[in-house]
Amino acid sequence: RLPRTRRCSRRVAHDPAPMRIEPPPARASVWLETFTRRAAVAGVLLMLGCALLNCGDIATRRALDLNLVGMVDLTQLLVMACAFLCIPLTFLREAQIDVDFFAARFSSRTSDALRCASALACSAFMALVTFSAAQAALQAWQHGDRSSTLAIPLTWHWAPVVFGCAMSVLACGAVGLRHGLAAARSRA
């Protein structure tokens, strides 16, 4: 599969064709894209399972007057896992909500430099979130904390959070590197 190319939205006065910036064809970027995509698919499958469990719970309540115990615990676990397994792919593909009216006014080089700085700041923030979540997970593990109904270890709740945040650090760093290289290659 060929690497994707990104077209710049700005045209340079002396160059009538749009400038094409090729991402570095590194194995690490392909691996990261594949890994985050698979994690997101796993997250979506967990959400699908959560929806099926909730529909089954509602159906058994009405039809059989049977209540499935622990649906709140399972729903919390599966929704958190889905969200944090999908976040790294969102960062890697730059699919998050982005207000770019500020960066769009500059040249492509300056815009890429700003996007690089933004992605690296996001990577640093996600590193802090990862550290904080890992501390909370370690504390839950040390105390043997469990959910109220099903007694699921709370470390199961924290594991996808820590994993997703750690993968987001790598994804944001890769985006920063991509934009940094694009800024270094482009003309002013």
Side-chain angles (χ1 to χ4, degrees), residues 58-145:
I58 293 168
T60 57
R61 281 185 197 176
R62 301 220 184 248
L64 305 174
D65 199 27
L66 176 68
N67 188 11
L68 297 178
V69 178
M71 283 308 298
V72 172
D73 288 351
L74 284 175
T75 300
Q76 286 176 344
L77 175 62
L78 295 175
V79 168
M80 288 296 290
C82 173
F84 281 94
L85 289 174
C86 291
I87 286 174
L89 184 63
T90 304
F91 280 130
L92 190 64
R93 291 191 175 173
E94 298 181 77
Q96 70 273 17
I97 295 174
D98 187 17
V99 181
D100 66 348
F101 63 88
F102 181 72
R105 297 176 188 225
F106 297 108
S107 67
S108 63
R109 183 178 194 172
T110 306
S111 178
D112 278 326
L114 287 172
R115 290 182 190 280
C116 173
S118 172
L120 293 178
C122 184
S123 183
F125 174 74
M126 289 308 293
L128 290 173
V129 172
T130 303
F131 179 74
S132 177
Q135 283 183 325
L138 183 62
Q139 185 178 16
W141 179 69
Q142 288 173 341
H143 293 285
D145 293 342

